[in-house]
Amino acid sequence: MIAIDRQTHWEDVYTTKAETDVSWFEDTPDLSLALLREAGLTPEMSVIDIGGGTSRLVDALEASGQAHVTVLDLSAAALKTAKARLANADRVQWVVSDVTAWTPDRRYDLWHDRAAFHFLTAVEDQQAYVRVLVQALKDGGKAVIGTFAPDGPEKCSGLPVARYDAESLRAVLGEQFKLAATRRHQHTTPWGSVQKFQFSTFEKVAEPERLGIRDLKLPG
């Protein structure tokens, strides 16, 4: 029931509001692009944008010739809007799904999430998200996750959010991820208010490294 309610909410948002009338709108996704490049983005990599909605990150990645991009969102209406801007984007896969219930059909080099995870306030949803992240990301792959900072808003789009700094987010993700970089960011909404975010980049660690056995010698 939780997933159905969540999907209904976001379908309503994207069918009743214009693209520029939501607080998370950006003309250009400059910070996301910078963070992905800092995480090692190269054209041959596969990238997934979680909760991509109508974000223009996919436009920028497709225009740069990214080999494969997946955009996942709860709202079919949001993805329809984004897809209409990129009618000939053969390298883009569009997935309508709740990330907590999604089964990946491939593994990705880079995972990007600008303010989707912080809407998951129930522990079971957070754990489900992490399970999917582990399945979807290659060993050594990077996850760039943005959430409201501890001094950021307590709600967004009428919904409560969970706020994080880098360490509290790392604790939720677990030992299979190590913190690679973090920064604070102030996002200005289309109507001029300021929202305080944190963006953290995590590397998925292979099993021997998680166990602290970096120089493990295997037979043969």
Side-chain angles (χ1 to χ4, degrees):
M1 183 63 69
I2 291 175
I4 294 173
D5 290 343
R6 196 154 52 219
Q7 188 161 27
T8 299
H9 173 86
W10 290 111
E11 285 289 12
D12 182 63
V13 168
Y14 284 109
T15 54
T16 60
K17 294 187 177 183
E19 182 182 358
T20 56
D21 289 340
V22 292
S23 64
W24 51 90
F25 174 76
E26 295 177 304
D27 278 317
T28 56
D30 292 332
L31 177 60
S32 291
L33 287 170
L35 292 171
L36 287 171
R37 288 167 182 153
E38 289 173 10
L41 178 68
T42 55
E44 71 276 8
M45 287 182 170
S46 56
V47 182
I48 183 165
D49 188 18
I50 300 298
T54 58
S55 166
R56 301 185 181 189
L57 178 60
V58 62
D59 306 54
L61 292 172
E62 199 281 331
S64 68
Q66 201 65 41
H68 178 86
V69 181
T70 295
V71 183
L72 180 147
D73 199 272
L74 275 167
S75 170
L79 295 189
K80 182 178 179 181
T81 297
K83 190 175 182 179
R85 299 194 310 256
L86 297 164
N88 298 315
D90 296 334
R91 294 185 297 267
V92 179
Q93 178 183 8
W94 308 92
V95 178
V96 178
S97 180
D98 185 325
V99 64
T100 65
W102 179 55
T103 301
D105 62 2
R106 65 184 298 151
R107 303 186 82 191
Y108 295 86
D109 298 289
L110 292 169
W111 171 289
H112 174 267
D113 174 349
R114 178 183 176 269
F117 180 73
H118 69 194
F119 285 107
L120 304 178
T121 57
V123 171
E124 58 268 29
D125 285 335
Q126 295 167 1
Q127 293 173 340
Y129 178 106
V130 174
R131 285 194 295 270
V132 174
L133 173 59
V134 171
Q135 293 170 17
L137 197 62
K138 297 177 181 177
D139 286 346
K142 302 282 185 65
V144 177
I145 301 176
T147 70
F148 284 148
D151 55 348
E154 295 180 355
K155 286 188 174 183
C156 183
S157 186
L159 298 176
V161 299
R163 299 177 295 175
Y164 298 93
D165 59 18
E167 282 304 317
S168 59
L169 183 56
R170 188 206 61 76
V172 174
L173 296 186
E175 66 177 8
Q176 61 266 62
F177 293 96
K178 64 180 180 182
L179 180 64
T182 188
R183 70 166 77 179
R184 286 176 59 89
H185 174 69
Q186 293 193 155
H187 168 66
T188 302
T189 70
W191 44 89
S193 63
V194 173
Q195 297 175 328
K196 295 180 180 179
F197 278 81
Q198 68 80 37
F199 283 82
S200 297
T201 301
F202 299 89
E203 180 180 347
K204 184 185 174 189
V205 181
E207 183 69 28
E209 189 174 348
R210 287 208 299 274
L211 297 173
I213 312 172
R214 294 177 180 270
D215 298 318
L216 181 67
K217 301 297 183 181
L218 299 177

